[in-house]
Structures are given as structure tokens and as C-alpha cells.
Amino acid sequence: MFERCLWVETAPPFSIPASPLPASSDVVIIGGGYTGLSAARTLARLGLDATVLEQHTVGWGASSRNGGFILPGYKPEMEALERRLGSERATGMFRLSLDAIEYVAGLISDERIDCDFVRCGAVTLAAKLGHVAALEASARFLHEKLDYHTELLGPGEVSREIESRRYYGALVDRGACAVHPVKYVRGMAAAAARAGAFVQENVRVLRLRRVTGGFEIVTGDAVIRAREVLAATNGYTPRALSSLRRRVIPIGSYQIATAPLPPELARCLVPRGRVFSDTKHLLYYFRL
């Protein structure tokens, strides 16, 4: 179900004029979200013809419908990744996530994207008493193995971050950031276009076939020849990319917005303006 997106409603008006599709391109990118638009900007800055085909509107999928959190690390805890992948690879992956945050910050600064970017920090909240030990272990691992510093809060200290008695402890990560996701993705689309990429919305890719020298991409209105194709479709992959469609699927994540809070109440509830998630398996995440 997709009824309304408050992120869209709180962003300035945005549109991409409809234009005829090119007959050829060095690279055709299927999907106009964060991955596709960032790739298009990079390729265009390198002097290549980059064409982005988005079947709905820019950022229609997860790139506009997310919490706007920019976090270090991954869904599995780093100690779990180390057990699975080994210390060297896990450490490299963690450093890559830190580099990714700085890449986003640099892109926003370089392109002057007005997207409410803030280095606010994130808080992981222990939803059960038994979850506190895992937060302690995570803080210790990050410090000892990755030289990355977080702050552990006991039950009596949680109110420093959130005015709630629901939680048994917390882990504060000051390296996390936040952004308005729709303003960001639309800013990326404008940046890609300024770099020389061609971005087009409401284009559905029907078929993809190999030909001599590359690929033919068949849409409802045109056929484009390309040397390379980049699939950047995440959970909304078309049937034309059937093998990927079977491997990457949509996952439900549901967001609810309250009525606007009076500023004094907002400051009381979340005094430092951080972003939050809890330790449930099906977790809650929230922010102002």
C-alpha cells in the first residue's frame, strides 16, 4: 500500500520535462533512485553519456520512502559479521560504511543540495533488559576492534536522549547523520543533469537483449542501444531483469507521522535531535 508520502508533501515542487529518449548511450541506468542517480552523475562527470530510465518518478521507491537515517555499519552487528567473514573483511566493510557517510556529506556540500542534512548522531534503544548486554558487547567490539567510539547509557541516563521510561539502556553513535530523503534524491537528480546525464521519468523498460557491441533496451516508446547497462532497481526490478527480480525483493517498512508537535514539546521529547531505533527484531525507528 502506498497512499501518501509526507516527505514528498514537505519538499519543494519538482518536475523533469518529458523529452524524446536518445537512440544510443554509453550507459543506460535502469532506476532513478540514490544508486542510479549517483552513478549517472559520476559517469557524466567522467565524460560518458549516461541515461537514467525511471519507470515512475525520481526516487519513487525506497529512496523517497525511508527514515532519512545515514548510519555506520550494517543490519547485522559488526561482531556477527566478523564471525562470518573474518576480521579483515569485516573491518574493511565497516570503514567502507564510514567512507559512504563522508561521500554523501561531500556530495551534498559540493552540489549545494538543500536537504536538511545534519550530523545529529543516532541512538539504539534497548527494548528489553536482556538486550542491554548486546549493546555493551557492541560498544566494546567497536572500540577494541575498530577503534570506533560510542557511548553506552544506563537506564537512568536514557532520558538525556529521549523522554521515555520504556527503554532499559541505549547506545549513542555520534557518527550518524540525517537527511530529508526526497529533497536529497531530487537534489541528486538535478546534480546528475547538471553533470550532463539524461534523466527521464515514466519510462518502463520492457525488454533487454544483448546485441553486437552491447545491449538494446526496449521501452514502450523507443529502443536504445548502449554499451553497458546498470540495474539500479532495488526491490522494484522490472520483468526485463528477471534474474535480479527473483533475488532482490521489496520489504515492507511502515511510517506514521504525528500531528506537528509544539517546539517546546519536541525539544523535551528529543532534546538532542538524534535519530532512534530500538533492538526489537522487527524494530521501531523514529525521529523528529
Side-chain angles (χ1 to χ4, degrees):
M1 179 175 290
F2 178 38
E3 295 182 356
R4 294 169 58 196
C5 180
L6 190 62
W7 293 120
V8 172
E9 295 179 14
T10 56
F14 176 84
S15 64
I16 295 176
S19 302
L21 296 177
S24 63
S25 184
D26 292 326
V27 182
V28 166
I29 300 165
I30 306 173
Y34 296 148
T35 299
L37 294 170
S38 181
R41 172 181 175 269
T42 299
L43 292 167
R45 285 160 62 96
L46 292 172
L48 296 172
D49 288 328
T51 299
V52 179
L53 305 179
E54 166 55 50
Q55 68 173 335
H56 298 293
T57 54
V58 159
W60 180 87
S63 294
S64 64
R65 290 179 272 153
N66 65 80
F69 295 14
I70 306 174
L71 308 176
Y74 300 86
K75 173 64 175 175
E77 297 297 336
M78 289 308 304
E79 51 266 42
L81 283 178
E82 186 193 46
R83 289 194 297 271
R84 183 191 303 179
L85 303 173
S87 178
E88 183 177 352
R89 188 173 178 195
T91 299
M93 288 174 65
F94 184 74
R95 298 299 175 201
L96 186 63
S97 78
L98 299 181
D99 291 344
I101 292 175
E102 295 309 313
Y103 179 85
V104 169
L107 191 155
I108 291 169
S109 175
D110 292 346
E111 298 292 351
R112 299 182 180 180
I113 300 175
D114 183 6
C115 59
D116 307 335
F117 175 78
V118 59
R119 293 183 181 271
C120 56
V123 181
T124 304
L125 298 158
K128 297 181 179 180
L129 183 60
H131 294 175
V132 173
L135 293 183
E136 293 173 343
S138 182
R140 187 165 53 250
F141 180 89
L142 290 170
H143 175 60
E144 294 177 356
K145 294 293 186 71
L146 302 175
D147 194 29
Y148 187 80
H149 300 277
T150 55
E151 182 182 7
L152 196 68
L153 303 182
E157 300 171 301
V158 173
S159 61
R160 286 166 34 189
E161 299 293 346
I162 184 169
E163 186 56 41
S164 173
R165 296 184 179 88
R166 179 182 293 269
Y167 303 104
Y168 296 87
L171 188 65
V172 180
D173 183 345
R174 290 183 173 81
C177 307
V179 73
H180 186 302
V182 169
K183 292 180 182 179
Y184 176 50
V185 74
R186 289 177 174 179
M188 290 182 68
R194 283 195 300 272
F198 179 86
V199 181
Q200 195 63 52
E201 299 176 317
N202 301 306
V203 178
R204 188 174 184 85
V205 173
L206 303 177
R207 291 188 302 281
L208 180 70
R209 56 186 178 231
R210 287 187 179 273
V211 296
T212 302
F215 298 86
E216 280 187 347
I217 300 90
V218 181
T219 74
D221 299 317
V223 177
I224 307 173
R225 291 185 67 99
R227 288 195 289 116
E228 304 285 352
V229 174
L230 172 63
T233 50
N234 204 357
Y236 299 97
T237 300
R239 296 184 184 279
L241 299 166
S242 58
S243 62
L244 183 61
R245 182 184 174 94
R246 290 193 297 269
R247 290 166 170 79
V248 184
I249 62 173
I251 297 294
S253 181
Y254 305 96
Q255 298 180 33
I256 301 168
T258 70
L261 303 179
E264 63 275 14
L265 177 57
R267 283 193 297 269
C268 175
L269 293 173
V270 185
R272 290 178 168 83
R274 303 200 199 278
V275 298
F276 298 85
S277 61
D278 66 22
T279 55
K280 295 184 176 118
H281 180 62
L282 296 175
L283 60 83
Y284 293 160
Y285 60 96
F286 43 94
R287 61 177 290 191
L288 293 175

